């Protein structure tokens, strides 16, 4: 498919398509990193902190956790690149291993009579 696109599309349009693809990948990565940093900062750090931290402290923790998550992601990407797995099979393995527990928790939550945090 890639080779057909290279032959049929004009050079400028092919470059524009490549730029749009790179922008969408960068946007998805930024959203995932931001979501993970927000989850850590608001759901883990703030809950474990004894007293309510100031907003400036939460922002600083969010920035540091974003840097840490990015570094871990780059390290994992380097390991995946040099391992015997390709990205698709590794993603499929991780997804299939996580699907069972996720569905079990969802079904348990749907069938519980008492909801957590219901007062």
């Amino acid at each position: 498919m890639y080779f057909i696109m290279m032959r049929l599309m004009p050079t400028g349009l092919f470059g524009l398509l490549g730029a749009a693809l790179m922008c969408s990948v960068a946007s998805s990565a930024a959203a995932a990193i931001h979501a993970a940093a927000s989850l850590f900062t608001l759901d883990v750090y703030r809950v474990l902190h004894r007293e309510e931290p100031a907003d400036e402290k939460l922002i600083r923790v969010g920035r540091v956790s974003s840097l840490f998550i990015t570094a871990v992601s780059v390290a994992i990407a380097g390991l995946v690149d040099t391992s015997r797995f390709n990205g698709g099979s590794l993603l499929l393995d991780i997804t299939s291993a996580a699907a069972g527990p996720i569905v079990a928790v969802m079904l348990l939550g749907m069938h519980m009579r008492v909801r957590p945090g219901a007062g």
Side-chain angles (χ1 to χ4, degrees), residues 10-82:
T11 305
L13 191 57
F14 186 71
L16 186 64
L17 181 67
L21 180 65
M22 285 189 278
C23 287
S24 69
V25 168
S27 175
S28 296
I33 291 168
H34 178 70
S38 295
L39 278 171
F40 173 76
T41 304
L42 298 177
D43 294 340
V44 176
Y45 179 78
R46 191 169 68 175
V47 170
L48 294 178
H49 207 265
R50 294 208 170 134
E51 48 198 47
E52 184 68 25
D55 288 342
E56 294 83 16
K57 179 73 172 174
L58 289 176
I59 291 171
R60 203 170 329 121
V61 169
R63 288 178 179 168
V64 170
S65 62
S66 293
L67 288 173
F68 178 76
I69 292 165
T70 303
V72 168
S73 300
V74 168
I76 289 173
L79 291 174
V80 169
D81 188 39
T82 59

